[in-house]
Amino acid sequence: MAQRIIAASMLSADFANLGRDVRMINESECDWFHLDIMDGVFVPNISYGFPVVKAIADSTSKPLDAHLMIVNPDRYVERFAELGVSWISIHYEACTHLHRTLALIRSCGMKAGVALNPHTPVAVLKDILCECDYALIMSVNPGFGGQKFIERTYSKIVELKQIIDSQGVDCKIQVDGGVTLSNITPLSDAGCDIFVAGNTIFSASDPVKMISDLKKQMQRQA
Ligand code: DX5
Ligand code: ZN
């Protein structure tokens, strides 16, 4: 079975104690940091930018996965590469020239992902999957942590997995939003490789144990 990944969404961290929360993730079984970048235009919220990304990058050796919920992502791709981000996803809905943007990301030495909003059918990725290292399926509307998981996501993941397998491309599937101990096993069974979790980790009384439990649940197949 391919390696499955847990990515902690730092949107739910305590920013007054960011160093503490980064150390907690470093010392846990968590695989990646997931960094949600919001511009207040593509999504109705503004999160954080380069100084916070740099602070996290300087404090960890775990991979950084940036999820850009911004318009004109091309303008910032190089900056994220310079800061040490190694996986970066941009939104299908925000890119007029998606092929060009993905090529730009790869030319900066990063893995390139395309994120889809809940209303966007996975079939739109058919002619671009060979240029993607991962596809991010949003299981909530982007913009906020702690929202309720949208059930329709399962069938989108199953359909995307079928398309990926039929093309024989090496594209991982990431799910983002409302991931919990209860849905991580069926998401894994549906074909998901990378699981983003924010609220589930940071609101837990013991986040390190929660990460360990999520990893156990994602590796358990029904
Ligand atoms: C939402 C973000 C998510 C969010 C996930 O726009 O893309 O990464 O932080 O948070 P939870 O796991 O709390 O739904
Ligand atoms: Zn995200």
Side-chain angles (χ1 to χ4, degrees):
M1 193 207 299
Q3 197 205 349
R4 298 208 160 102
I5 299 285
I6 294 277
S9 168
M10 299 309 285
L11 194 62
S12 295
D14 175 357
F15 284 85
N17 288 289
L18 186 59
R20 180 201 67 193
D21 283 0
V22 171
R23 276 192 299 281
M24 181 276 288
I25 298 295
N26 282 341
E27 288 159 13
S28 78
E29 292 173 44
C30 192
D31 303 285
W32 292 2
F33 286 84
H34 180 85
L35 309 176
D36 289 299
I37 309 299
M38 305 177 185
D39 64 357
V41 178
F42 181 68
V43 286
N45 196 11
I46 296 174
S47 56
Y48 53 83
F50 296 120
V52 171
V53 174
K54 183 175 187 318
I56 296 173
D58 288 348
S59 311
T60 189
S61 54
K62 294 196 182 196
L64 305 181
D65 166 41
H67 173 194
L68 304 194
M69 287 161 273
I70 64 175
V71 297
N72 295 322
D74 302 52
R75 290 165 62 183
Y76 303 103
V77 162
E78 268 184 80
R79 292 278 303 275
F80 284 105
E82 283 162 14
L83 287 177
V85 168
S86 49
W87 294 72
I88 193 162
S89 62
I90 37 105
H91 265 263
Y92 170 85
E93 302 84 0
C95 293
T96 310
H97 301 287
L98 188 56
H99 188 282
R100 181 180 289 149
T101 308
L102 292 168
L104 171 66
I105 293 172
R106 284 180 161 180
S107 76
C108 292
M110 297 183 288
K111 301 287 189 191
V114 177
L116 296 185
N117 278 338
H119 72 273
T120 305
V122 294
V124 299
L125 294 178
K126 196 166 64 72
D127 294 307
I128 197 73
L129 277 179
C130 55
E131 311 296 335
C132 300
D133 298 292
Y134 64 129
L136 187 171
I137 303 298
M138 285 305 305
S139 39
V140 298
N141 283 296
F144 303 92
Q147 300 180 80
K148 188 175 174 299
F149 180 84
I150 297 171
E151 296 291 322
R152 173 85 191 170
T153 308
Y154 293 115
S155 59
K156 289 182 77 173
I157 291 173
V158 169
E159 188 185 345
L160 178 58
K161 178 77 176 153
Q162 277 165 0
I163 301 172
I164 288 171
D165 288 348
S166 72
Q167 294 189 6
V169 289
D170 183 15
C171 176
K172 297 187 187 310
I173 302 177
Q174 181 176 47
V175 65
D176 184 7
V179 172
T180 64
L181 274 179
S182 328
N183 59 24
I184 197 164
T185 307
L187 283 167
S188 181
D189 291 340
C192 195
D193 305 288
I194 307 162
F195 305 85
V196 176
N199 186 56
T200 293
I201 292 175
F202 288 98
S203 71
S205 55
D206 184 345
V208 170
K209 180 171 183 303
M210 175 55 75
I211 290 165
S212 170
D213 290 347
L214 284 167
K215 292 204 81 158
K216 282 191 200 105
Q217 285 295 109
M218 83 179 172
Q219 266 137 11
R220 219 196 67 192
Q221 277 184 307

